[in-house]
Amino acid sequence: MIAYYSLAILCLVQLSFAKLPPGVTTCPKSEPNEFNKCVLKQLEILTPFLAKGIPAMKLPALDPLLLPSLSIDRNLEALNIKANMSQIQVFGASNYLVDEIDAKPEQLAVYLKIHLPEVHVKGNYDVHGRLLLLPLSGVGSFKGNFTNTEVRVSARAKAVTDKTGVKRLELDKLQTKIRVGSGNIKLKAPPAHTLTADAAATFFNSNPRLVLDIASPIVEDTAATVGRALVARALSVFAKDELVPF
């Protein structure tokens, strides 16, 4: 789901379509409802290409989305965790549905509400911490299946001048709200960590709503961090005039 923040920028701007896949067309300036319908149509056309990646925009493949490494260090009231995860693969992110869209090109702003029916994640973990009274400690591999995820994104860009004097856009504001409907996980660990891994997996699978609500701030912060990086890469390809012709 993290990569969908790159979609927000596609709604912010009128891209230089010569650099994008065939079939994508410019949305003319029009009243808000018609403009939003046009942007939504372009997103539908782009989806198969996003799944495979768009090199012209420096966007990696979305399905599966590969994250070589991810570090988390948070101390919340109910969750204290330090984790290093690697070789993460996210499947199913291209099967998204756009429930709401409100693009404001003059303000370089957009709001998106996206629904992800099913997402599958796997990778390796090295974690230490505590969830409520349950200790979290160990290394191994994980698999997770998550359903009915709702992602709300509010994004705004601003004009800047780079070191070469070229005017470009950069992300000024990104707010995210994520609610995962439900899920289950499997943890595989070496013998020394098997008991801890089994206890953690059993607790999660017995109380997915509780754990997902507790972990929600970490999910949102991590998504925003990766999303900002993806959007920055996409915007760096274009000059401002290519992106906003009106």
Side-chain angles (χ1 to χ4, degrees):
M1 71 185 96
I2 292 171
Y4 284 112
Y5 300 121
S6 62
L7 297 179
I9 294 304
L10 298 181
C11 300
L12 289 174
V13 297
Q14 294 291 322
L15 292 172
S16 176
F17 289 99
K19 297 182 180 181
L20 293 177
V24 180
T25 59
T26 301
C27 292
K29 188 175 182 180
S30 58
E31 62 92 16
N33 285 340
E34 291 303 314
F35 185 81
N36 288 335
K37 288 179 182 178
C38 179
V39 172
L40 181 58
K41 183 178 180 180
Q42 306 316 310
L43 290 179
E44 292 172 349
I45 296 172
L46 277 171
T47 298
F49 298 97
L50 288 169
K52 299 178 181 179
I54 304 178
M57 291 187 68
K58 298 184 179 180
L59 291 178
L62 183 60
D63 203 351
L65 174 65
L66 306 179
L67 299 174
S69 63
L70 184 63
S71 296
I72 298 172
D73 188 349
R74 291 292 299 271
N75 188 359
L76 305 177
E77 182 177 353
L79 177 60
N80 183 349
I81 185 170
K82 290 186 177 181
N84 293 309
M85 293 178 284
S86 60
Q87 302 303 313
I88 304 165
Q89 298 181 63
V90 183
F91 300 86
S94 63
N95 297 321
Y96 67 93
L97 301 171
V98 179
D99 291 334
E100 295 180 29
I101 181 171
D102 184 13
K104 295 181 172 62
E106 290 88 354
Q107 302 174 29
L108 302 178
V110 67
Y111 167 79
L112 281 174
K113 179 182 174 183
I114 295 170
H115 178 72
L116 293 165
E118 246 183 320
V119 174
H120 309 285
V121 185
K122 66 178 182 178
N124 302 317
Y125 70 89
D126 182 347
V127 63
H128 301 276
R130 170 189 54 82
L131 171 61
L132 296 174
L133 298 179
L134 179 70
L136 302 175
S137 180
V139 298
S141 61
F142 68 90
K143 291 182 179 180
N145 300 305
F146 304 96
T147 58
N148 295 322
T149 297
E150 181 182 278
V151 184
R152 297 172 184 258
V153 183
S154 294
R156 185 177 64 205
K158 65 178 180 180
V160 297
T161 302
D162 67 15
K163 296 179 180 179
T164 64
V166 177
K167 289 187 177 181
R168 301 187 184 277
L169 292 179
E170 69 177 29
L171 192 60
D172 183 43
K173 180 182 179 182
L174 179 64
Q175 293 182 331
T176 66
K177 293 296 293 182
I178 299 173
R179 188 181 191 275
V180 182
S182 188
N184 62 79
I185 62 171
K186 294 182 179 180
L187 302 178
K188 185 177 181 180
H193 301 287
T194 298
L195 289 178
T196 303
D198 289 347
T202 298
F203 184 82
F204 180 94
N205 295 331
S206 300
N207 307 275
R209 181 74 275 138
L210 172 65
V211 178
L212 290 169
D213 286 344
I214 291 173
S216 180
I218 296 176
V219 173
E220 291 174 350
D221 289 351
T222 303
T225 298
V226 178
R228 283 181 179 275
L230 290 171
V231 170
R233 290 173 60 179
L235 287 178
S236 70
V237 177
F238 303 95
K240 178 179 179 295
D241 290 343
E242 291 181 289
L243 297 170
V244 188
F246 56 79

